[in-house]
Amino acid sequence: MIEPVKGHIRHHFSETDSTNVRARFLSEQGSPEWTIVTADFQSMGRGRRGNIWISESGQNLLLSVILRPQRAMEYWGCIPLLVGVAVVDALAEAESVGSQLKWPNDIMVDSRKLGGVLIETGETDGQRWMVAGIGLNVNQTVFPPDCKIPPTSLAMETGKKHGIDSLIPPLLDTLGSWYRTWNDFGNAKIIAAWKERTNMIGKTVLIQSGTSKLIGTMHDIAADGSMVLYGKDGTKRNIFAGDVTILSMNDSE
Ligand code: BT5
């Protein structure tokens, strides 16, 4: 089924493997920027690095957007942050729900995970493309017990059901607006906006990546979107990927 949303070409599947995989195929076939893919159910919903995204049929927003950024790839590391900012703003404006960002890709309400962002990129016939995948829990109230971060949904936070399709236009509005800002001005405004929507700065965090573990204080976001971490010995590191757990309010706790 294909129906437009606010002039965007929309491909909707009642069931598919992953909206990001479908959007990737469409990108490879030359679909234009802002083509969107949605689904009621994903049989192989994807998170980062082989993680799976679980979502009951028809309960949540599963959305992928094709982007074709004109800026040099060295700027692309900020896009997961940009998408997160757009989601937080859309939820505040359209649903009056306050949410926060957790580096690198989580949408949170306090310590509960409301949604996640998955960015995938590639190049076909010399044309670079990007797929921005957004999974947002809307009406689901029971989740698998083994999720790393306790999940939540708009329904669990507000005690009422929310429209799913009706979230798409405000989300495309905020995404389009922040994307234009990024295109015109680069990463700095995105990073500033992200920092206004997080409570992680100054907190002690545990970074896990494969078998490696690192504890430090999150000091800042660098110009390339990486996390600036200070270890207990004062060593400064830039973190580009990993699972992050917030341990305490500050280093002395
Ligand atoms: C993410 O990965 O948070 C990115 C999720 C992106 C999903 C969207 S849905 C539309 C598009 N199509 C796709 O196939 N994917 C995108 P990550 O940070 O790796 O988190 C994944 C982890 O979150 C899992 O390992 C579980 O622990 C947990 N999880 C799975 N489903 C969840 C849910 N519905 N709500 C909260 N946590 C969940």
Side-chain angles (χ1 to χ4, degrees):
M1 183 172 91
I2 300 179
E3 61 183 55
V5 176
K6 283 183 78 91
H8 301 266
I9 299 166
R10 177 185 181 186
H11 299 254
H12 180 78
F13 297 86
S14 53
E15 177 172 347
T16 189
D17 44 4
S18 150
T19 56
N20 262 38
V21 171
R22 293 300 114 206
R24 178 192 182 119
F25 284 139
L26 289 165
S27 304
E28 288 168 347
Q29 288 159 15
S31 283
E33 186 165 62
W34 297 108
T35 299
I36 66 171
V37 180
T38 53
D40 295 330
F41 181 72
Q42 299 182 131
S43 54
M44 289 173 60
R46 290 145 65 110
R48 294 168 304 144
R49 293 175 284 117
N51 291 339
I52 53 171
W53 189 254
I54 300 159
S55 179
E56 274 175 14
S57 182
Q59 297 300 306
N60 303 316
L61 181 66
L62 305 167
L63 169 71
S64 298
V65 183
I66 295 176
L67 298 172
R68 297 187 179 276
Q70 295 303 306
R71 277 193 168 270
M73 280 186 88
E74 68 199 64
Y75 288 90
W76 290 22
C78 261
I79 298 281
L81 309 185
L82 184 161
V83 176
V85 168
V87 174
V88 167
D89 285 3
L91 290 175
E93 285 165 25
E95 305 294 322
S96 304
V97 170
S99 56
Q100 307 87 38
L101 294 167
K102 178 168 162 284
W103 192 92
N105 69 321
D106 293 327
I107 318 294
M108 308 287 292
V109 178
D110 301 329
S111 56
R112 305 175 290 281
K113 180 159 170 165
L114 181 65
V117 173
L118 178 67
I119 303 291
E120 296 182 275
T121 61
E123 186 173 329
T124 310
D125 300 331
Q127 299 292 314
R128 294 212 181 95
W129 51 261
M130 173 183 282
V131 170
I134 300 166
L136 195 67
N137 300 325
V138 180
N139 290 323
Q140 187 168 334
T141 53
V142 178
F143 290 89
D146 54 348
C147 286
K148 283 177 221 145
I149 305 171
T152 191
S153 63
L154 294 179
M156 287 163 75
E157 294 300 327
T158 64
K160 60 176 182 152
K161 294 241 177 220
H162 292 252
I164 299 170
D165 269 12
S166 59
L167 286 168
I168 301 174
L171 192 45
L172 291 174
D173 279 349
T174 54
L175 194 54
S177 159
W178 282 112
Y179 189 66
R180 278 191 298 280
T181 300
W182 175 75
N183 205 38
D184 294 347
F185 302 105
N187 287 357
K189 281 178 190 270
I190 304 305
I191 291 168
W194 192 92
K195 283 162 65 177
E196 282 168 11
R197 290 159 183 76
T198 191
N199 49 23
M200 289 180 82
I201 307 286
K203 288 195 178 165
T204 303
V205 293
L206 165 69
I207 319 276
Q208 289 174 282
S209 185
T211 53
S212 91
K213 286 185 182 183
L214 206 58
I215 290 182
T217 304
M218 178 168 175
H219 178 68
D220 205 353
I221 297 286
D224 58 7
S226 62
M227 179 201 281
V228 182
L229 185 83
Y230 280 102
K232 280 211 185 313
D233 59 356
T235 323
K236 180 183 163 194
R237 284 193 177 83
N238 284 67
I239 309 293
F240 292 91
D243 288 323
V244 180
T245 309
I246 299 170
L247 297 179
S248 69
M249 291 304 286
N250 60 52
D251 232 3
S252 58
E253 285 177 59

